[in-house]
Amino acid sequence: MRVTIAEVARRARVSKATVSRVLNNKGDVDAATAIRVREVIAATGYTPSARAVGLAKGRTQTVGMLVPGLTWPWVGDVLQGVADVLEAQGYGLLLNTMNRGAESLTQFAKHVSANAFDGLLLIEPPDTLSYISGLHESGFPMVMIDDRGHHPEFPSVATSNREGAASAAHHLLANGRTNLAVITGPTEFGCTRDRTEGFRSTVDGYGRKLPASLVLEGDFTREGGKEAVQSLVDSDVPVDAVFAQNDLMAVGVLDALRAAGRTVPDDVAVIGFDDIPIASHTQPALTTVRQPSREMGEAAARMLLSRLAGETLSQQPEIIPTSLVIRESA
């Protein structure tokens, strides 16, 4: 049976308040009493509950996390990185998704009002910016992961989207590809703009131009990648390389090219972005730009814990670099 602070106080012949002061190293307990209390603590194996310690400090020892949903392939790696850091520091994690839209946001707001967590990590869900901005402006500690909307007012951890896309373009051009197509993500995302600009500027640097007709908007889904490439095949536009701005779309690209009788990489080289687990298991295995999702989660969690410890966070985002993973598709 768990030993309580009341039991320690009874055995040491002091009040519970005195035991608490000894536990918190307060200097207003005489030495003999403090020694007696600590001897009882050692003899009984008493340990204060995390909840009691949190209440005493005005903290829950819990971090909240808000994400659009758990179906995005790289979110699991981000969560693992967050959990690794928080657990090592004795913090719990309260996860909230936006799967039910406004109803989910209402539930999340109730957790905030109830002081259910000390700080917030978030991958910005749609239609939450107004509420999240209000929280931030009120001084609530938070860190944004993968700042897709480019919100410099938030402390954030991101990756080198522009440089990653540039490395994809360089690899294709250096290997003799001349007719390059790009399938972007949704245009409202900052990462889409960065990846498109990084790819385009590298093509320009080689003295070439990326035709607007070969930049197609996708939706980060496998089906979106398939449909985009199918439109190129149907229009009979010469293409010998495709850069899809995430791996799911790249898998759709492989599907469409296979169905059209095009071989990869002989006829068309394909590069994705993210390096999710499926990338190494496609046929052929997918060359891709690795997004350091787990490392981003770790960095964001460390940043938030520093903020909770009273440190002032940098206004500049912490950038965790991408890397090109070369496999068989390009």
Side-chain angles (χ1 to χ4, degrees), residues 281-297:
H281 299 290
T282 58
Q283 292 297 325
L286 183 65
T287 293
T288 186
V289 180
R290 179 179 180 270
Q291 179 169 223
S293 303
R294 187 163 181 163
E295 293 91 330
M296 290 165 68

Side-chain angles (χ1 to χ4, degrees), residues 26-223:
K26 301 295 185 182
D28 55 353
V29 181
D30 69 83
T33 300
I35 290 171
R36 188 167 73 251
V37 170
R38 293 193 182 281
E39 287 175 344
V40 172
I41 290 171
T44 59
Y46 169 76
T47 55
S49 71
R51 176 174 174 80
V53 172
L55 289 172
K57 295 180 178 179
R59 294 279 181 86
T60 66
Q61 293 295 111
T62 299
V63 165
M65 188 160 184
L66 181 63
V67 302
L70 299 179
T71 57
W72 293 13
W74 53 273
V75 169
D77 283 340
V78 173
L79 283 171
Q80 189 61 62
V82 168
D84 288 345
V85 172
L86 295 183
E87 289 175 8
Q89 297 300 317
Y91 273 76
L93 178 65
L94 179 61
L95 178 63
N96 297 262
T97 72
M98 284 293 294
N99 289 329
R100 291 171 290 113
E103 184 180 347
S104 295
L105 185 59
T106 298
Q107 182 174 331
F108 172 72
K110 288 179 180 177
H111 289 152
V112 174
S113 299
N115 298 315
F117 44 83
D118 301 326
L120 177 65
L121 298 168
L122 71 148
I123 299 171
E124 184 196 345
D127 305 319
T128 60
L129 183 59
S130 177
Y131 179 77
I132 296 302
S133 295
L135 273 184
H136 177 61
E137 291 166 5
S138 74
F140 195 83
M142 63 176 63
V143 174
M144 184 174 285
I145 303 170
D146 183 44
D147 183 7
R148 297 178 296 119
H150 284 189
H151 306 300
E153 69 273 19
F154 290 94
S156 65
V157 174
T159 193
S160 51
N161 286 297
R162 186 187 302 267
E163 292 79 3
S167 70
H170 173 75
H171 180 73
L172 292 170
L173 292 163
N175 282 278
R177 305 293 171 161
T178 56
N179 298 309
L180 281 58
V182 177
I183 304 175
T184 76
T187 55
E188 67 267 22
F189 287 178
C191 62
T192 294
R193 297 192 294 273
D194 286 347
R195 292 172 192 178
T196 303
E197 290 169 6
F199 195 90
R200 188 190 302 276
S201 64
T202 302
V203 173
D204 290 347
Y206 273 72
R208 301 176 183 275
K209 289 294 181 183
L210 187 64
S213 60
L214 293 184
V215 180
L216 307 176
E217 183 176 354
D219 58 3
F220 283 156
T221 69
R222 183 171 182 167
E223 190 61 29

Side-chain angles (χ1 to χ4, degrees), residues 259-284:
R262 309 287 177 87
T263 60
V264 176
D266 293 343
D267 296 331
V268 183
V270 178
I271 296 182
F273 202 111
D274 284 340
D275 197 26
I276 61 177
I278 196 176
S280 61
H281 299 290
T282 58
Q283 292 297 325

